[in-house]
Amino acid sequence: TPALRSAKAVHLGYRCDSCFAEPIVGIRWHCLVCRGAQTVDLCDECREEASFETEWHSESHNFQPVRDAEMDPYYANEVAAPALHEYSYLA
């Protein structure tokens, strides 16, 4: 349906490193250069402004657009754990 196609992805567990919006809604822009503890993710609006810089991140870095919603693995375990105990026949 058209409504589903126009729905924006909600990236649970991801926060924009520039404006601190959490979760990131819409396209999540992931820096391809910054790694580990210095990983950088931006919301669509902040990526468009192209003004976010830190000691390790430059606005000239390449970004990958993440259009489909995904949950940060650490956050996923935190959210899923109570639900698994509640519905699992093994619990």
Side-chain angles (χ1 to χ4, degrees):
T1 65
L4 288 176
R5 277 185 247 125
S6 66
K8 292 186 175 186
V10 177
H11 302 273
L12 295 175
Y14 290 93
R15 178 181 72 193
C16 177
D17 289 300
S18 182
C19 72
F20 305 110
E22 185 177 1
I24 294 176
V25 177
I27 299 173
R28 175 173 65 88
W29 292 91
H30 180 71
C31 180
L32 295 172
V33 178
C34 299
R35 302 280 183 202
Q38 283 81 29
T39 188
V40 171
D41 290 292
L42 299 177
C43 68
D44 209 22
E45 290 177 22
C46 291
R47 175 64 183 121
E48 201 170 291
E49 289 175 13
S51 61
F52 180 73
E53 290 198 350
T54 65
E55 294 175 23
W56 59 87
H57 179 76
S58 166
E59 64 183 63
S60 66
H61 287 179
N62 290 323
F63 281 84
Q64 175 182 4
V66 181
R67 290 179 170 82
D68 296 326
E70 58 183 47
M71 190 179 290
D72 178 42
Y74 175 80
Y75 187 76
N77 290 337
E78 192 175 289
V79 170
L84 289 176
H85 292 296
E86 189 173 310
Y87 297 106
S88 175
Y89 69 92
L90 297 174

